Amino acid sequence: MDEQTMFALLVDLHREGERQGPGSTDDTLRALDLARPDDTAELAVADIGCGTGASTLTLAGALPRARITAVDLFPEFLGILTQNARTAGCGDRIETRAESMDALTFATESLDLIWSEGAIYNIGFATGLAAWRPFLKAGGVLAVSEITWLHPDPPAEIRDHWNAEYPEIATAAEKIAILERSGFDLLGYFTLPPSSWIDRYYLPIQQRIPAFLDRHGRSPEARALAEMEHQEYDLYTRYQDWLSYGFYIARRR
Ligand code: SAH
């Protein structure tokens, strides 16, 4: 399947989702609690790889004076975000930018808070930290969720799958060491519960798949994507004790 077709199908399957990756409102608020931003200030916030903006809207609600720039590669996701922000009455504080997270156009030391849920893997954790750090003011905070082994030495099936998918997958200790080497001090860390994967992400996808297949006339490409989503879900349910997203909250030195 060529990349263009794959992207179009991915966007079509995921655009109606509340989230485009594992996570929940509770997880976002828990991370925000650890980030301890001044919620009375006019903070400059970026939500990178925001998708349709579930976390963006939660942040806008919890930080009533913040101005948030929501960034994603896909304009179609940003269009939905803009609609939802208007409905929620915070459209005037949210700006969207369709650009790639490895070529962001923020000014140096302009941001108080960088948020990114389930997205930094697109360019890699260490690469993302190095690319984004200059945009934070000194003392600014980064909150990022990243795929993480919950124990060392995972079983071969899940280890081989993830090492092929995303070789940077590692334990929290290794991720925290990378943060520290990249000029950040850890403020807090927790792991997403299985409900943030299953109830908030995989089950809603499974429910959308029949209509998705119909929309695409059950094309081989659409069926291949549906099968991939099913396999990912199956693998996660069997190995949920071994991996999750870790949420890392850290201050720029
Ligand atoms: N933060 C959202 C979406 C997570 S899915 C949520 O938690 O629901 C990962 C997101 O990263 C998708 O919306 C995808 O479109 C976006 N993305 C992928 N590659 C990107 C890139 N190079 N630059 C910016 N966004 C990218």
PDB file of all heavy atoms in Angstrom, residues 11 18-23 47-55 71-74 77 99-102 104 116-119 121-123, ligand 1:
ATOM      1  N   VAL A  11      -6.374   8.494   8.509  1.00  0.00           N
ATOM      2  CA  VAL A  11      -7.104   9.696   8.932  1.00  0.00           C
ATOM      3  C   VAL A  11      -8.600   9.403   8.956  1.00  0.00           C
ATOM      4  O   VAL A  11      -9.306   9.770   9.894  1.00  0.00           O
ATOM      5  CB  VAL A  11      -6.776  10.898   8.012  1.00  0.00           C
ATOM      6  CG1 VAL A  11      -7.721  12.063   8.266  1.00  0.00           C
ATOM      7  CG2 VAL A  11      -5.321  11.338   8.218  1.00  0.00           C
ATOM      8  N   GLU A  18     -12.423  10.005  19.667  1.00  0.00           N
ATOM      9  CA  GLU A  18     -12.217  11.097  20.613  1.00  0.00           C
ATOM     10  C   GLU A  18     -10.723  11.339  20.753  1.00  0.00           C
ATOM     11  O   GLU A  18     -10.266  12.465  20.892  1.00  0.00           O
ATOM     12  CB  GLU A  18     -12.846  10.717  21.950  1.00  0.00           C
ATOM     13  CG  GLU A  18     -12.983  11.893  22.892  1.00  0.00           C
ATOM     14  CD  GLU A  18     -13.367  11.452  24.285  1.00  0.00           C
ATOM     15  OE1 GLU A  18     -14.153  10.490  24.408  1.00  0.00           O
ATOM     16  OE2 GLU A  18     -12.843  12.055  25.240  1.00  0.00           O
ATOM     17  N   ARG A  19      -9.974  10.248  20.714  1.00  0.00           N
ATOM     18  CA  ARG A  19      -8.510  10.308  20.772  1.00  0.00           C
ATOM     19  C   ARG A  19      -7.932   9.488  19.635  1.00  0.00           C
ATOM     20  O   ARG A  19      -8.551   8.528  19.196  1.00  0.00           O
ATOM     21  CB  ARG A  19      -8.005   9.746  22.100  1.00  0.00           C
ATOM     22  CG  ARG A  19      -8.275  10.680  23.252  1.00  0.00           C
ATOM     23  CD  ARG A  19      -7.726  10.142  24.558  1.00  0.00           C
ATOM     24  NE  ARG A  19      -7.803  11.199  25.559  1.00  0.00           N
ATOM     25  CZ  ARG A  19      -6.793  11.986  25.900  1.00  0.00           C
ATOM     26  NH1 ARG A  19      -5.598  11.787  25.387  1.00  0.00           N
ATOM     27  NH2 ARG A  19      -6.960  12.934  26.785  1.00  0.00           N
ATOM     28  N   GLN A  20      -6.724   9.851  19.226  1.00  0.00           N
ATOM     29  CA  GLN A  20      -6.048   9.105  18.171  1.00  0.00           C
ATOM     30  C   GLN A  20      -4.944   8.219  18.735  1.00  0.00           C
ATOM     31  O   GLN A  20      -4.185   7.592  18.001  1.00  0.00           O
ATOM     32  CB  GLN A  20      -5.492  10.061  17.111  1.00  0.00           C
ATOM     33  CG  GLN A  20      -6.563  10.665  16.223  1.00  0.00           C
ATOM     34  CD  GLN A  20      -7.464  11.638  16.954  1.00  0.00           C
ATOM     35  OE1 GLN A  20      -6.998  12.460  17.737  1.00  0.00           O
ATOM     36  NE2 GLN A  20      -8.761  11.545  16.726  1.00  0.00           N
ATOM     37  N   GLY A  21      -4.846   8.175  20.056  1.00  0.00           N
ATOM     38  CA  GLY A  21      -3.893   7.289  20.712  1.00  0.00           C
ATOM     39  C   GLY A  21      -4.396   7.022  22.121  1.00  0.00           C
ATOM     40  O   GLY A  21      -5.332   7.689  22.583  1.00  0.00           O
ATOM     41  N   PRO A  22      -3.787   6.054  22.830  1.00  0.00           N
ATOM     42  CA  PRO A  22      -4.203   5.769  24.203  1.00  0.00           C
ATOM     43  C   PRO A  22      -4.080   7.002  25.099  1.00  0.00           C
ATOM     44  O   PRO A  22      -3.131   7.781  24.979  1.00  0.00           O
ATOM     45  CB  PRO A  22      -3.231   4.673  24.638  1.00  0.00           C
ATOM     46  CG  PRO A  22      -2.805   4.014  23.363  1.00  0.00           C
ATOM     47  CD  PRO A  22      -2.750   5.129  22.360  1.00  0.00           C
ATOM     48  N   GLY A  23      -5.034   7.159  26.007  1.00  0.00           N
ATOM     49  CA  GLY A  23      -5.017   8.302  26.919  1.00  0.00           C
ATOM     50  C   GLY A  23      -6.423   8.565  27.409  1.00  0.00           C
ATOM     51  O   GLY A  23      -7.374   7.912  26.966  1.00  0.00           O
ATOM     52  N   ASP A  47       0.527  22.025  22.108  1.00  0.00           N
ATOM     53  CA  ASP A  47       0.131  20.608  22.166  1.00  0.00           C
ATOM     54  C   ASP A  47       0.566  19.996  20.837  1.00  0.00           C
ATOM     55  O   ASP A  47      -0.025  20.262  19.785  1.00  0.00           O
ATOM     56  CB  ASP A  47      -1.381  20.486  22.378  1.00  0.00           C
ATOM     57  CG  ASP A  47      -1.807  19.040  22.638  1.00  0.00           C
ATOM     58  OD1 ASP A  47      -0.947  18.136  22.520  1.00  0.00           O
ATOM     59  OD2 ASP A  47      -2.986  18.818  22.950  1.00  0.00           O
ATOM     60  N   ILE A  48       1.620  19.186  20.898  1.00  0.00           N
ATOM     61  CA  ILE A  48       2.276  18.722  19.672  1.00  0.00           C
ATOM     62  C   ILE A  48       1.806  17.307  19.309  1.00  0.00           C
ATOM     63  O   ILE A  48       1.843  16.405  20.138  1.00  0.00           O
ATOM     64  CB  ILE A  48       3.808  18.766  19.855  1.00  0.00           C
ATOM     65  CG1 ILE A  48       4.218  20.214  20.188  1.00  0.00           C
ATOM     66  CG2 ILE A  48       4.512  18.278  18.595  1.00  0.00           C
ATOM     67  CD1 ILE A  48       5.671  20.389  20.467  1.00  0.00           C
ATOM     68  N   GLY A  49       1.361  17.146  18.066  1.00  0.00           N
ATOM     69  CA  GLY A  49       0.761  15.869  17.649  1.00  0.00           C
ATOM     70  C   GLY A  49      -0.582  15.730  18.330  1.00  0.00           C
ATOM     71  O   GLY A  49      -0.921  14.689  18.888  1.00  0.00           O
ATOM     72  N   CYS A  50      -1.370  16.810  18.254  1.00  0.00           N
ATOM     73  CA  CYS A  50      -2.604  16.941  19.054  1.00  0.00           C
ATOM     74  C   CYS A  50      -3.753  16.097  18.522  1.00  0.00           C
ATOM     75  O   CYS A  50      -4.739  15.891  19.225  1.00  0.00           O
ATOM     76  CB  CYS A  50      -3.027  18.404  19.090  1.00  0.00           C
ATOM     77  SG  CYS A  50      -3.304  19.068  17.415  1.00  0.00           S
ATOM     78  N   GLY A  51      -3.677  15.619  17.260  1.00  0.00           N
ATOM     79  CA  GLY A  51      -4.820  14.898  16.691  1.00  0.00           C
ATOM     80  C   GLY A  51      -6.047  15.798  16.678  1.00  0.00           C
ATOM     81  O   GLY A  51      -5.944  17.000  16.373  1.00  0.00           O
ATOM     82  N   THR A  52      -7.209  15.250  17.039  1.00  0.00           N
ATOM     83  CA  THR A  52      -8.428  16.062  17.054  1.00  0.00           C
ATOM     84  C   THR A  52      -8.579  16.830  18.360  1.00  0.00           C
ATOM     85  O   THR A  52      -9.604  17.477  18.580  1.00  0.00           O
ATOM     86  CB  THR A  52      -9.687  15.212  16.773  1.00  0.00           C
ATOM     87  OG1 THR A  52      -9.778  14.185  17.776  1.00  0.00           O
ATOM     88  CG2 THR A  52      -9.623  14.570  15.398  1.00  0.00           C
ATOM     89  N   GLY A  53      -7.568  16.751  19.239  1.00  0.00           N
ATOM     90  CA  GLY A  53      -7.464  17.738  20.313  1.00  0.00           C
ATOM     91  C   GLY A  53      -8.124  17.411  21.641  1.00  0.00           C
ATOM     92  O   GLY A  53      -8.460  18.323  22.402  1.00  0.00           O
ATOM     93  N   ALA A  54      -8.269  16.118  21.975  1.00  0.00           N
ATOM     94  CA  ALA A  54      -8.857  15.787  23.287  1.00  0.00           C
ATOM     95  C   ALA A  54      -8.058  16.444  24.409  1.00  0.00           C
ATOM     96  O   ALA A  54      -8.623  17.098  25.299  1.00  0.00           O
ATOM     97  CB  ALA A  54      -8.904  14.272  23.476  1.00  0.00           C
ATOM     98  N   SER A  55      -6.730  16.290  24.358  1.00  0.00           N
ATOM     99  CA  SER A  55      -5.909  16.871  25.441  1.00  0.00           C
ATOM    100  C   SER A  55      -5.901  18.403  25.348  1.00  0.00           C
ATOM    101  O   SER A  55      -5.913  19.089  26.372  1.00  0.00           O
ATOM    102  CB  SER A  55      -4.483  16.332  25.389  1.00  0.00           C
ATOM    103  OG  SER A  55      -3.888  16.611  24.146  1.00  0.00           O
ATOM    104  N   VAL A  71      -0.661  21.563  17.306  1.00  0.00           N
ATOM    105  CA  VAL A  71       0.083  21.233  16.083  1.00  0.00           C
ATOM    106  C   VAL A  71      -0.156  19.781  15.685  1.00  0.00           C
ATOM    107  O   VAL A  71      -0.063  18.876  16.527  1.00  0.00           O
ATOM    108  CB  VAL A  71       1.605  21.413  16.315  1.00  0.00           C
ATOM    109  CG1 VAL A  71       2.383  21.085  15.051  1.00  0.00           C
ATOM    110  CG2 VAL A  71       1.937  22.816  16.801  1.00  0.00           C
ATOM    111  N   ASP A  72      -0.453  19.569  14.420  1.00  0.00           N
ATOM    112  CA  ASP A  72      -0.527  18.195  13.899  1.00  0.00           C
ATOM    113  C   ASP A  72      -0.177  18.229  12.418  1.00  0.00           C
ATOM    114  O   ASP A  72      -0.306  19.260  11.760  1.00  0.00           O
ATOM    115  CB  ASP A  72      -1.927  17.595  14.095  1.00  0.00           C
ATOM    116  CG  ASP A  72      -1.900  16.076  14.084  1.00  0.00           C
ATOM    117  OD1 ASP A  72      -1.965  15.480  12.976  1.00  0.00           O
ATOM    118  OD2 ASP A  72      -1.796  15.460  15.168  1.00  0.00           O
ATOM    119  N   LEU A  73       0.242  17.072  11.927  1.00  0.00           N
ATOM    120  CA  LEU A  73       0.587  16.967  10.502  1.00  0.00           C
ATOM    121  C   LEU A  73      -0.665  17.038   9.629  1.00  0.00           C
ATOM    122  O   LEU A  73      -0.601  17.499   8.490  1.00  0.00           O
ATOM    123  CB  LEU A  73       1.298  15.621  10.300  1.00  0.00           C
ATOM    124  CG  LEU A  73       2.159  15.419   9.074  1.00  0.00           C
ATOM    125  CD1 LEU A  73       3.189  16.513   8.915  1.00  0.00           C
ATOM    126  CD2 LEU A  73       2.852  14.049   9.168  1.00  0.00           C
ATOM    127  N   PHE A  74      -1.821  16.597  10.162  1.00  0.00           N
ATOM    128  CA  PHE A  74      -3.008  16.433   9.313  1.00  0.00           C
ATOM    129  C   PHE A  74      -4.044  17.533   9.543  1.00  0.00           C
ATOM    130  O   PHE A  74      -4.693  17.578  10.592  1.00  0.00           O
ATOM    131  CB  PHE A  74      -3.632  15.057   9.535  1.00  0.00           C
ATOM    132  CG  PHE A  74      -2.737  13.944   9.088  1.00  0.00           C
ATOM    133  CD1 PHE A  74      -2.178  13.070  10.009  1.00  0.00           C
ATOM    134  CD2 PHE A  74      -2.408  13.788   7.740  1.00  0.00           C
ATOM    135  CE1 PHE A  74      -1.316  12.054   9.594  1.00  0.00           C
ATOM    136  CE2 PHE A  74      -1.551  12.778   7.329  1.00  0.00           C
ATOM    137  CZ  PHE A  74      -1.011  11.909   8.253  1.00  0.00           C
ATOM    138  N   PHE A  77      -7.557  16.655  11.009  1.00  0.00           N
ATOM    139  CA  PHE A  77      -7.689  16.550  12.471  1.00  0.00           C
ATOM    140  C   PHE A  77      -7.849  17.941  13.084  1.00  0.00           C
ATOM    141  O   PHE A  77      -8.667  18.166  13.971  1.00  0.00           O
ATOM    142  CB  PHE A  77      -6.462  15.876  13.088  1.00  0.00           C
ATOM    143  CG  PHE A  77      -6.347  14.390  12.824  1.00  0.00           C
ATOM    144  CD1 PHE A  77      -5.115  13.739  12.966  1.00  0.00           C
ATOM    145  CD2 PHE A  77      -7.443  13.628  12.462  1.00  0.00           C
ATOM    146  CE1 PHE A  77      -4.993  12.373  12.742  1.00  0.00           C
ATOM    147  CE2 PHE A  77      -7.337  12.257  12.239  1.00  0.00           C
ATOM    148  CZ  PHE A  77      -6.102  11.637  12.376  1.00  0.00           C
ATOM    149  N   GLU A  99       1.881  21.484  10.843  1.00  0.00           N
ATOM    150  CA  GLU A  99       3.310  21.367  10.511  1.00  0.00           C
ATOM    151  C   GLU A  99       3.891  20.126  11.166  1.00  0.00           C
ATOM    152  O   GLU A  99       3.269  19.521  12.036  1.00  0.00           O
ATOM    153  CB  GLU A  99       4.084  22.641  10.891  1.00  0.00           C
ATOM    154  CG  GLU A  99       4.037  23.037  12.325  1.00  0.00           C
ATOM    155  CD  GLU A  99       4.680  24.420  12.566  1.00  0.00           C
ATOM    156  OE1 GLU A  99       4.683  25.278  11.662  1.00  0.00           O
ATOM    157  OE2 GLU A  99       5.178  24.630  13.677  1.00  0.00           O
ATOM    158  N   SER A 100       5.071  19.759  10.726  1.00  0.00           N
ATOM    159  CA  SER A 100       5.677  18.544  11.246  1.00  0.00           C
ATOM    160  C   SER A 100       6.433  18.835  12.534  1.00  0.00           C
ATOM    161  O   SER A 100       7.098  19.866  12.662  1.00  0.00           O
ATOM    162  CB  SER A 100       6.624  17.917  10.221  1.00  0.00           C
ATOM    163  OG  SER A 100       7.117  16.691  10.744  1.00  0.00           O
ATOM    164  N   MET A 101       6.323  17.921  13.468  1.00  0.00           N
ATOM    165  CA  MET A 101       6.917  18.127  14.796  1.00  0.00           C
ATOM    166  C   MET A 101       8.448  18.146  14.761  1.00  0.00           C
ATOM    167  O   MET A 101       9.079  18.493  15.754  1.00  0.00           O
ATOM    168  CB  MET A 101       6.408  17.068  15.774  1.00  0.00           C
ATOM    169  CG  MET A 101       6.735  15.646  15.395  1.00  0.00           C
ATOM    170  SD  MET A 101       6.237  14.505  16.699  1.00  0.00           S
ATOM    171  CE  MET A 101       4.480  14.359  16.414  1.00  0.00           C
ATOM    172  N   ASP A 102       9.051  17.785  13.638  1.00  0.00           N
ATOM    173  CA  ASP A 102      10.512  17.904  13.552  1.00  0.00           C
ATOM    174  C   ASP A 102      10.930  19.214  12.869  1.00  0.00           C
ATOM    175  O   ASP A 102      12.114  19.435  12.609  1.00  0.00           O
ATOM    176  CB  ASP A 102      11.138  16.695  12.836  1.00  0.00           C
ATOM    177  CG  ASP A 102      10.606  16.512  11.425  1.00  0.00           C
ATOM    178  OD1 ASP A 102       9.728  17.302  11.002  1.00  0.00           O
ATOM    179  OD2 ASP A 102      11.056  15.574  10.752  1.00  0.00           O
ATOM    180  N   LEU A 104       9.199  22.516  13.747  1.00  0.00           N
ATOM    181  CA  LEU A 104       8.244  23.445  14.363  1.00  0.00           C
ATOM    182  C   LEU A 104       8.745  24.878  14.220  1.00  0.00           C
ATOM    183  O   LEU A 104       9.954  25.123  14.174  1.00  0.00           O
ATOM    184  CB  LEU A 104       8.057  23.105  15.852  1.00  0.00           C
ATOM    185  CG  LEU A 104       7.459  21.720  16.126  1.00  0.00           C
ATOM    186  CD1 LEU A 104       7.569  21.377  17.613  1.00  0.00           C
ATOM    187  CD2 LEU A 104       6.008  21.653  15.668  1.00  0.00           C
ATOM    188  N   SER A 116       2.520  16.757  24.852  1.00  0.00           N
ATOM    189  CA  SER A 116       2.475  15.856  23.706  1.00  0.00           C
ATOM    190  C   SER A 116       2.089  14.454  24.162  1.00  0.00           C
ATOM    191  O   SER A 116       2.846  13.797  24.860  1.00  0.00           O
ATOM    192  CB  SER A 116       3.828  15.823  22.992  1.00  0.00           C
ATOM    193  OG  SER A 116       3.732  15.012  21.823  1.00  0.00           O
ATOM    194  N   GLU A 117       0.891  14.020  23.762  1.00  0.00           N
ATOM    195  CA  GLU A 117       0.412  12.690  24.173  1.00  0.00           C
ATOM    196  C   GLU A 117       0.455  11.722  22.995  1.00  0.00           C
ATOM    197  O   GLU A 117      -0.134  11.977  21.942  1.00  0.00           O
ATOM    198  CB  GLU A 117      -1.021  12.795  24.715  1.00  0.00           C
ATOM    199  CG  GLU A 117      -1.097  13.608  25.993  1.00  0.00           C
ATOM    200  CD  GLU A 117      -2.418  13.444  26.744  1.00  0.00           C
ATOM    201  OE1 GLU A 117      -3.070  12.392  26.604  1.00  0.00           O
ATOM    202  OE2 GLU A 117      -2.781  14.387  27.475  1.00  0.00           O
ATOM    203  N   GLY A 118       1.180  10.625  23.212  1.00  0.00           N
ATOM    204  CA  GLY A 118       1.188   9.530  22.231  1.00  0.00           C
ATOM    205  C   GLY A 118       1.641   9.940  20.845  1.00  0.00           C
ATOM    206  O   GLY A 118       1.142   9.419  19.843  1.00  0.00           O
ATOM    207  N   ALA A 119       2.582  10.851  20.752  1.00  0.00           N
ATOM    208  CA  ALA A 119       2.941  11.364  19.427  1.00  0.00           C
ATOM    209  C   ALA A 119       4.444  11.503  19.191  1.00  0.00           C
ATOM    210  O   ALA A 119       4.896  11.433  18.049  1.00  0.00           O
ATOM    211  CB  ALA A 119       2.263  12.717  19.203  1.00  0.00           C
ATOM    212  N   TYR A 121       6.797   9.583  19.435  1.00  0.00           N
ATOM    213  CA  TYR A 121       7.429   8.426  18.781  1.00  0.00           C
ATOM    214  C   TYR A 121       7.577   8.650  17.275  1.00  0.00           C
ATOM    215  O   TYR A 121       8.393   8.006  16.632  1.00  0.00           O
ATOM    216  CB  TYR A 121       6.631   7.132  19.051  1.00  0.00           C
ATOM    217  CG  TYR A 121       5.330   7.075  18.286  1.00  0.00           C
ATOM    218  CD1 TYR A 121       5.284   6.564  16.996  1.00  0.00           C
ATOM    219  CD2 TYR A 121       4.142   7.555  18.830  1.00  0.00           C
ATOM    220  CE1 TYR A 121       4.100   6.530  16.267  1.00  0.00           C
ATOM    221  CE2 TYR A 121       2.959   7.542  18.121  1.00  0.00           C
ATOM    222  CZ  TYR A 121       2.951   7.023  16.841  1.00  0.00           C
ATOM    223  OH  TYR A 121       1.781   7.014  16.122  1.00  0.00           O
ATOM    224  N   ASN A 122       6.770   9.548  16.714  1.00  0.00           N
ATOM    225  CA  ASN A 122       6.867   9.787  15.264  1.00  0.00           C
ATOM    226  C   ASN A 122       8.246  10.279  14.839  1.00  0.00           C
ATOM    227  O   ASN A 122       8.665  10.037  13.700  1.00  0.00           O
ATOM    228  CB  ASN A 122       5.798  10.777  14.801  1.00  0.00           C
ATOM    229  CG  ASN A 122       4.424  10.139  14.741  1.00  0.00           C
ATOM    230  OD1 ASN A 122       4.197   9.246  13.942  1.00  0.00           O
ATOM    231  ND2 ASN A 122       3.518  10.573  15.601  1.00  0.00           N
ATOM    232  N   ILE A 123       8.928  10.984  15.726  1.00  0.00           N
ATOM    233  CA  ILE A 123      10.305  11.392  15.390  1.00  0.00           C
ATOM    234  C   ILE A 123      11.316  10.778  16.360  1.00  0.00           C
ATOM    235  O   ILE A 123      12.516  10.909  16.179  1.00  0.00           O
ATOM    236  CB  ILE A 123      10.472  12.933  15.354  1.00  0.00           C
ATOM    237  CG1 ILE A 123      10.076  13.599  16.673  1.00  0.00           C
ATOM    238  CG2 ILE A 123       9.682  13.508  14.204  1.00  0.00           C
ATOM    239  CD1 ILE A 123      10.443  15.088  16.715  1.00  0.00           C
TER     240      ILE A 123
HETATM  241  N1  SAH B   1      -2.285  13.541  20.958  1.00  0.00           N
HETATM  242  C1  SAH B   1      -3.395  12.935  20.277  1.00  0.00           C
HETATM  243  C2  SAH B   1      -2.991  12.141  19.029  1.00  0.00           C
HETATM  244  C3  SAH B   1      -2.027  11.010  19.239  1.00  0.00           C
HETATM  245  S1  SAH B   1      -1.782  10.030  17.752  1.00  0.00           S
HETATM  246  C4  SAH B   1      -4.144  12.028  21.220  1.00  0.00           C
HETATM  247  O1  SAH B   1      -3.584  11.673  22.264  1.00  0.00           O
HETATM  248  O2  SAH B   1      -5.286  11.680  20.926  1.00  0.00           O
HETATM  249  C5  SAH B   1      -0.335  10.770  17.042  1.00  0.00           C
HETATM  250  C6  SAH B   1      -0.631  12.075  16.311  1.00  0.00           C
HETATM  251  O3  SAH B   1       0.595  12.550  15.755  1.00  0.00           O
HETATM  252  C7  SAH B   1      -1.611  11.956  15.157  1.00  0.00           C
HETATM  253  O4  SAH B   1      -2.609  12.928  15.301  1.00  0.00           O
HETATM  254  C8  SAH B   1      -0.747  12.216  13.916  1.00  0.00           C
HETATM  255  O5  SAH B   1      -1.458  12.870  12.887  1.00  0.00           O
HETATM  256  C9  SAH B   1       0.339  13.097  14.478  1.00  0.00           C
HETATM  257  N2  SAH B   1       1.594  13.093  13.704  1.00  0.00           N
HETATM  258  C10 SAH B   1       2.205  12.046  13.109  1.00  0.00           C
HETATM  259  N3  SAH B   1       3.378  12.433  12.578  1.00  0.00           N
HETATM  260  C11 SAH B   1       3.506  13.763  12.838  1.00  0.00           C
HETATM  261  C12 SAH B   1       4.494  14.736  12.540  1.00  0.00           C
HETATM  262  N4  SAH B   1       5.605  14.415  11.886  1.00  0.00           N
HETATM  263  N5  SAH B   1       4.302  15.999  12.975  1.00  0.00           N
HETATM  264  C13 SAH B   1       3.172  16.353  13.643  1.00  0.00           C
HETATM  265  N6  SAH B   1       2.201  15.463  13.954  1.00  0.00           N
HETATM  266  C14 SAH B   1       2.357  14.183  13.555  1.00  0.00           C
END
